[in-house]
Amino acid sequence: MIARPAGMDDNVPTPRPLPALVNLDYSADERAFRDDVRGWLRANLPPAMRDKVVHYTHLSRDDLTGWHRILADKGWVAPSWPQEWGGTGWNVVQRYVFEEECGYAGAPPLIPFGLTMCASVLLKFGSDAQKQRFLPRIYRGDDFWCQGYSEPNSGSDLASLKTSAVRRGDRYVVNGQKIWTTLAHMADWIFCLVRTDPSLERKQEGISFLLMDMRTPGITVRPLILMDGAHEVNEVFFDNVEVPVENRIHDENKGWTVAKYLLGHERLNTARIGTSKREFEQLKAFAATQFRDGRPLTEDVRFRDKLTRLEIELMALEITNLRFLDQMRGGRAPGAEVSMLKIKGTEIQQMLTELMLEAAGPAAQAIDATDADDAGSAMIAALAPRYCNMRKTTIYAGSNEIQRNIIAKHALGL
Ligand SMILES: Cc1cc2nc3c(=O)[nH]c(=O)nc-3n(C[C@H](O)[C@H](O)[C@H](O)COP(=O)(O)OP(=O)(O)OC[C@H]3O[C@@H](n4cnc5c(N)ncnc54)[C@H](O)[C@@H]3O)c2cc1C
């Protein structure tokens, strides 16, 4: 019943509440599920791993696979896979809740190249033999994968890629170069887009999708050091690399179909709302300990204004995401609008690093990470490199300009 102002004529009918167009609340079951996940994370996320994440320490392969294996032992590492391959059978809301709770708790990220990307492709397009060979190893974290899509001059315009694969009997001979290949220096396997027929007029045709063992002779990995000084991405060169034809996924020259399918999966996971919520709380707590003119920064009107704007953006992102989830609950797959999640999610991640840096002030420049003798100082020392590092988020997984083009074309019909 909606309360009416005193004195209102009793004969005026009470306005009926509008029917809810979108349900943005979790149901009682969904809340109970969230509490279970939260409780399990509290008991099972090793504090040392969490500390590394919240203090922005670079994670080693052991850190990344360590958390992967804890989740695999629990049966929670690949929620979206079919249950026969180890999936949890959770619905789309539960999967989202799980991901967000992991981010909120400070769990190390799960590297998506094997679990999310290659596995989705194998599940959709792989033969039974390919599934049997690769999926269990991906599930257990035995193989570490990387993604060989981008090339010099073929990033946004991916279909112009030139790395060639020439068929010789039961092998392809691969020559060319990939670039920006994240964690290739840690990887056991790479999935690649290669050109198998350069004669076809449409550049999207003539591309195939190959899986390559990184130990194959002829593969060379060279580091590219990012502006934060970290080794995260690489160039990968292929010099007469022989790849068995059985490592091709889907038909020859149909790799673009696979590539497009995979890009959709890549973009769904870029909003990272749980992580941003945790970092926002961390930012507020940190700003409260930083003083300007004798007052905590959280009492500075201009800084508070920036904090508030950021919080509103984050809430709006969460609501947008819940709106998509509600659509998916009803069986409707979200379309090009998911690009909004990538744009806003990554802009917020960058804003968080900017405000953390602003809160630390000159101290962020003054502390050398090698001199930091406590976790707080190490975290402050990590802020400037992290600010530089996070510039990447609006570039990778399809730059934000490209996402805007997608929205304009496919969602707004421009
Ligand atoms: C840290 C990092 C990690 C990465 N990891 C991987 C990886 O593991 N595997 C992999 O394959 N790739 C990876 N990439 C590559 C990434 O996908 C590309 O950098 C991205 O697609 C952009 O391509 P590009 O760098 O060639 O830039 P370009 O495509 O040359 O674009 C340059 C600029 O022009 C803009 N632009 C281009 N075309 C248009 C257009 N039509 N309309 C409007 N603006 C446009 C872009 O937004 C960008 O600002 C990574 C990149 C980074 C930075």
Side-chain angles (χ1 to χ4, degrees):
M1 182 79 167
I2 292 174
R4 275 180 289 164
M8 213 172 167
D9 186 341
D10 277 346
N11 294 327
V12 177
T14 307
R16 272 183 303 160
L18 287 170
L21 296 176
V22 180
N23 183 3
L24 297 176
D25 288 329
Y26 289 132
S27 67
D29 283 352
E30 287 163 355
R31 280 198 298 275
F33 173 81
R34 182 191 61 192
D35 293 344
D36 280 352
V37 170
R38 211 171 263 185
W40 185 85
L41 285 167
R42 215 174 290 128
N44 291 281
L45 173 60
M49 276 187 193
R50 183 182 185 280
D51 283 352
K52 281 193 175 181
V53 172
V54 300
H55 295 129
Y56 310 126
T57 311
H58 276 286
L59 300 171
S60 64
R61 176 172 164 158
D62 283 348
D63 293 324
L64 297 168
T65 48
W67 178 238
H68 179 122
R69 290 198 173 119
I70 290 173
L71 286 179
D73 288 345
K74 172 71 177 163
W76 283 0
V77 83
S80 62
W81 292 18
Q83 279 175 280
E84 58 175 307
W85 291 104
T88 51
W90 293 339
N91 62 29
V92 68
V93 179
Q94 290 172 311
R95 295 204 303 258
Y96 167 75
V97 166
F98 174 69
E99 237 171 65
E100 294 311 313
E101 287 301 319
C102 286
Y104 193 67
L110 289 173
I111 299 302
F113 304 118
L115 267 182
T116 318
M117 299 188 189
C118 191
S120 334
V121 161
L122 284 162
L123 287 161
K124 172 92 177 160
F125 301 100
S127 65
D128 283 346
Q130 288 170 332
K131 288 179 192 166
Q132 294 286 355
R133 180 174 170 204
F134 293 110
L135 286 176
R137 295 186 59 84
I138 292 177
Y139 191 92
R140 290 194 307 268
D142 294 340
D143 292 332
F144 199 99
W145 284 78
C146 63
Q147 177 188 26
Y149 270 26
S150 306
E151 297 182 6
N153 304 318
S154 300
S156 303
D157 182 18
L158 185 59
S160 66
L161 63 93
K162 292 192 177 61
T163 294
S164 74
V166 176
R167 180 110 179 224
R168 295 226 182 97
D170 62 353
R171 316 211 137 227
Y172 288 105
V173 179
V174 179
N175 282 286
Q177 183 196 342
K178 297 291 171 181
I179 195 167
W180 307 120
T181 325
T182 303
L183 304 182
H185 55 298
M186 298 183 183
D188 306 299
W189 283 82
I190 183 168
F191 56 84
C192 275
L193 290 176
V194 292
R195 192 159 296 281
T196 32
D197 188 346
S199 71
L200 298 169
E201 202 173 309
R202 271 193 80 233
K203 59 188 176 183
Q204 287 81 0
E205 290 169 7
I207 291 174
S208 298
F209 192 97
L210 290 187
L211 311 183
M212 302 187 213
D213 186 333
M214 289 294 278
R215 286 158 304 193
T216 319
I219 298 185
T220 310
V221 178
R222 270 201 223 146
L224 287 172
I225 303 302
L226 293 179
M227 61 178 167
D228 63 345
H231 180 194
E232 188 176 314
V233 293
N234 303 273
E235 294 177 291
V236 182
F237 297 89
F238 304 90
D239 182 13
N240 287 320
V241 177
E242 295 194 12
V243 182
V245 169
E246 69 201 30
N247 287 10
R248 190 191 69 229
I249 307 287
H250 202 33
D251 299 336
E252 189 170 274
N253 298 332
K254 294 290 174 224
W256 192 247
T257 310
V258 182
K260 279 193 302 184
Y261 179 78
L262 195 149
L263 285 173
H265 275 82
E266 192 177 355
R267 279 166 204 161
L268 265 178
N269 297 320
T270 41
R272 301 227 204 113
I273 296 165
T275 304
S276 290
K277 280 163 84 174
R278 171 174 50 74
E279 290 189 356
F280 182 74
E281 283 175 18
Q282 193 174 343
L283 167 64
K284 275 203 299 195
F286 180 62
T289 66
Q290 303 299 302
F291 286 78
R292 300 284 189 278
D293 300 328
R295 282 186 314 163
L297 203 47
T298 37
E299 289 176 18
D300 178 280
V301 175
R302 273 169 297 181
F303 195 81
R304 282 176 72 96
D305 180 49
K306 290 179 191 170
L307 272 182
T308 310
R309 283 168 195 270
L310 177 55
E311 188 165 23
I312 291 169
E313 290 280 351
L314 188 49
M315 284 167 72
L317 176 70
E318 190 173 23
I319 289 170
T320 307
N321 202 67
L322 290 170
R323 210 152 47 80
F324 289 138
L325 281 183
D326 193 47
Q327 271 181 32
M328 291 195 266
R329 264 194 203 114
R332 260 192 305 148
E337 318 88 87
V338 286
S339 290
M340 283 199 283
L341 301 179
K342 157 76 178 37
I343 295 171
K344 276 294 166 194
T346 52
E347 285 178 355
I348 287 169
Q349 288 157 34
Q350 291 187 343
M351 275 191 255
L352 280 162
T353 64
E354 280 167 34
L355 289 190
M356 277 301 269
L357 201 58
E358 191 175 327
Q365 295 293 333
I367 305 176
D368 182 340
T370 46
D371 295 339
D373 51 6
D374 63 274
S377 309
M379 193 273 284
I380 293 174
L383 290 178
R386 184 174 155 76
Y387 169 84
C388 295
N389 183 277
M390 291 301 279
R391 303 300 97 196
K392 69 187 178 188
T393 60
T394 45
I395 303 172
Y396 64 34
S399 75
N400 284 16
E401 290 78 21
I402 294 296
Q403 303 304 322
R404 289 191 175 89
N405 286 353
I406 292 172
I407 293 172
K409 193 167 167 196
H410 299 288
L412 303 176
L414 299 175

